[in-house]
Amino acid sequence: MTTDEFVETDPEAARARRRSARPLLLRLHFYAGVFVGPFLLVAALTGLLYIFTPQLEQVVYDHELHVPAGSSAQPLESQLTAARQAVPDGTVVRVRPGREATDTTQVIFSRPDLEASHWLTAYVDPYSGQVRGVLETYGSSQATPVRTWIDQLHRSLHLGDFGRLYSEMAASWLWVVVLGGLVLWWSKRRQHRVADRRAKGRRKLVAWHAATGSWVAIVLLFLSVTGLTWSQYAGESITDLRTALSWETPTLATSLSEHAEHGAHAGHSGHHSAPIADAGPDRVLDAARGHGLDGPVELTLPAGEGEVYLVKQIKTSWPEKQDTVAIDPASAQVLETLRFDDYPLGAKLARWGIDAHMGLLFGLPNQIVLAVVCLALITTVVWGYRMWWHRRPTREGFGMGKPFARGGWRSMPPAGLVALVVAGALAAWFLPVFGVTLLGFLLVDALLGLRAKTRPR
């Protein structure tokens, strides 16, 4: 996204401009728009594809996900047995009973040959016990193959860790482009209120570019921040910051010995000479329901002897339900409870932010807003390149738009320049990809300056 240059006709306005950061912001916004624009465009296009994948997978995998409603469901234990027969070389790790009467039970397996965070999921008819299909799923959201493919396209263009740099660059620069554009647009509006309404041609294009970006700025800033939480390098910085502020997402212990040490269940010492009888998933689910865990839940089975069941709510729409209980596998007694209300503020914000970024938090309205914002970003980027084309030299056969004049930093007040340098250094340290590309922009700018000095006049 780029902006355009406006000629100051008011001497007082011109003097104010010479004392402002506007010339420097114009050049930075130009470089960021020209070089980062393609990354923003790809992120917006792939994000637009992803928004409605929850509805898409319901249609594509209707046979696996849905069944006719029956009169009575079979016990979870029987459904697990059917799933194990369908995936004999896998290990059951989690179970998701159907949310609705027409949903299948999802039995989630791990297997050594699968990539990290990938699972095999058997979809079981809860009434007949028939396995309706087995799919490779991804992540904690149980993404089906079609949603996984589009998700990886949005994250990395299917290029692995190298491809993730594209999305991190887009998220790292989006907030800079948006904030810079807001400052440029609203400072210009104070000087050209009437002229903007009557603008035509190139100025009208600038007005549409800036006004559209302003209308969706808040959502774009939100998408930038939440997108960085998934990024490869900035994500580590965010994790470290959350750790320093004690804002990590809390979890419950998985072993009986830890619960015994905490005094959660005095009946267990943490040492057992004989295998413990398993109460089974049905009694465990009943215990969790009796403890207030309504709605959709996921059961994590004990990974081995001395481990507990974990039952967690997985409702990601507003109001979210994310309570978790640890349950004794022998007695089906609740050992410990973790309520979402007791999460640190940072953990709650992270949960809400992720779900809103994915279009889940407020359902269809959330998806519509994201779709509108993606379309607005695509349009704004295209307008930006159109404005760049307008700045090309027209007396030559072919030329590209020129950057704005160098030396804009000289017009800034010293205190403002120092503050900008410090803020840029901090941002570069916290967001490494932003820092590296910012150095690249400065290098390009320096090379252009040297070229201009050595070129014959």
Side-chain angles (χ1 to χ4, degrees):
M1 289 180 290
T2 60
T3 187
D4 207 350
E5 190 171 29
F6 294 89
V7 178
E8 301 288 358
T9 58
D10 183 1
E12 183 63 30
R15 284 192 295 271
R17 184 174 180 268
R18 287 194 294 268
R19 297 192 301 268
S20 73
R22 183 175 176 81
L24 180 61
L25 287 177
L26 279 170
R27 193 168 178 86
L28 176 63
H29 196 67
F30 176 89
Y31 276 126
V34 169
F35 292 112
V36 182
F39 299 95
L40 296 177
L41 191 60
V42 172
L45 287 169
T46 56
L48 187 61
L49 285 176
Y50 180 83
I51 289 169
F52 296 100
T53 51
Q55 289 90 339
L56 177 63
E57 65 183 355
Q58 293 293 315
V59 175
V60 174
Y61 301 106
D62 176 73
H63 178 76
E64 289 83 1
L65 296 172
H66 304 128
V67 294
S71 56
S72 60
Q74 292 192 9
L76 277 180
E77 190 63 62
S78 299
Q79 298 180 51
L80 284 173
T81 300
R84 288 189 176 102
Q85 292 173 352
V87 189
D89 54 347
T91 302
V92 178
V93 289
R94 298 189 302 278
V95 182
R96 290 189 174 188
R99 301 184 180 207
E100 307 292 340
T102 56
D103 290 342
T104 54
T105 299
Q106 299 181 25
V107 182
I108 305 162
F109 292 83
S110 64
R111 204 171 63 182
D113 62 322
L114 296 174
E115 297 180 26
S117 299
H118 284 251
W119 320 96
L120 284 181
T121 299
Y123 298 86
V124 184
D125 184 334
Y127 307 104
S128 68
Q130 175 191 2
V131 176
R132 295 176 65 86
V134 178
L135 299 174
E136 183 174 338
T137 53
Y138 171 74
S140 60
S141 65
Q142 277 294 96
T144 57
V146 66
R147 181 151 61 99
T148 300
W149 191 90
I150 297 176
D151 175 66
Q152 294 302 323
L153 179 68
H154 180 60
R155 288 185 185 220
S156 65
L157 301 178
H158 294 282
L159 297 175
D161 288 340
F162 176 79
R164 291 181 64 184
L165 293 175
Y166 115 82
S167 59
E168 183 162 356
M169 180 182 290
S172 297
W173 275 96
L174 180 57
W175 65 275
V176 178
V177 173
V178 170
L179 291 178
L182 286 174
V183 173
L184 291 171
W185 175 239
W186 289 105
S187 64
K188 183 192 75 67
R189 280 182 62 86
R190 286 197 296 270
Q191 302 163 8
H192 299 274
R193 288 189 179 93
V194 177
D196 283 348
R197 297 191 184 98
R198 299 176 181 176
K200 294 182 179 179
R202 184 175 59 186
R203 289 178 180 267
K204 185 176 182 179
L205 186 64
V206 173
W208 277 106
H209 168 88
T212 302
S214 298
W215 276 107
V216 298
I218 292 178
V219 181
L220 290 176
L221 291 173
F222 165 79
L223 292 175
S224 175
V225 172
T226 52
L228 287 171
T229 62
W230 282 298
S231 62
Q232 189 168 3
Y233 298 104
E236 294 180 2
S237 299
I238 293 174
T239 299
D240 293 340
L241 178 62
R242 289 181 60 186
T243 301
L245 296 174
S246 298
W247 278 6
E248 309 104 312
T249 299
T251 58
L252 292 181
T254 60
S255 69
L256 285 168
S257 59
E258 290 180 87
H259 287 285
E261 289 173 4
H262 295 157
H265 189 55
H268 289 285
S269 64
H271 301 281
H272 306 279
S273 57
I276 301 175
D278 192 334
D282 294 282
R283 287 184 60 192
V284 167
L285 179 59
D286 290 341
R289 296 296 192 195
H291 207 66
L293 269 68
D294 57 352
V297 297
E298 179 180 82
L299 284 73
T300 299
L301 276 62
E305 186 178 335
E307 299 287 300
V308 302
Y309 280 92
L310 294 178
V311 184
K312 180 178 182 177
Q313 292 174 309
I314 53 174
K315 181 175 180 288
T316 53
S317 57
W318 188 268
E320 292 204 351
K321 294 185 177 181
Q322 299 286 328
D323 294 353
T324 308
V325 293
I327 296 181
D328 189 319
S331 63
Q333 294 181 359
V334 174
L335 303 174
E336 191 176 357
T337 303
L338 174 62
R339 300 293 183 188
F340 185 67
D341 289 343
D342 297 328
Y343 276 29
L345 176 61
K348 289 181 180 179
L349 291 175
R351 181 73 266 166
W352 293 329
I354 289 172
D355 292 333
H357 188 111
M358 296 174 66
L360 303 174
L361 188 59
F362 300 108
L364 184 59
N366 196 162
Q367 293 175 302
I368 292 174
V369 168
L370 291 179
V372 170
V373 170
C374 285
L375 291 172
L377 179 58
I378 293 168
T379 305
T380 304
V381 171
V382 172
W383 279 335
Y385 280 106
R386 178 61 178 164
M387 289 151 50
W388 182 32
W389 178 253
H390 275 307
R391 289 181 56 80
R392 76 193 190 282
T394 56
R395 294 182 181 180
E396 301 174 7
F398 179 80
M400 305 305 292
K402 295 181 179 180
F404 292 93
R406 302 181 73 249
W409 60 272
R410 296 187 182 93
S411 66
M412 290 191 64
L417 182 60
V418 171
L420 184 62
V421 171
V422 171
L426 290 174
W429 175 79
F430 193 76
L431 309 174
V433 172
F434 168 78
V436 171
T437 50
L438 178 60
L439 287 176
F441 291 165
L442 295 175
L443 179 60
V444 169
D445 191 54
L447 292 175
L448 289 177
L450 289 174
R451 179 178 174 227
K453 289 181 179 179
T454 57
R455 177 187 297 176
R457 296 185 178 181

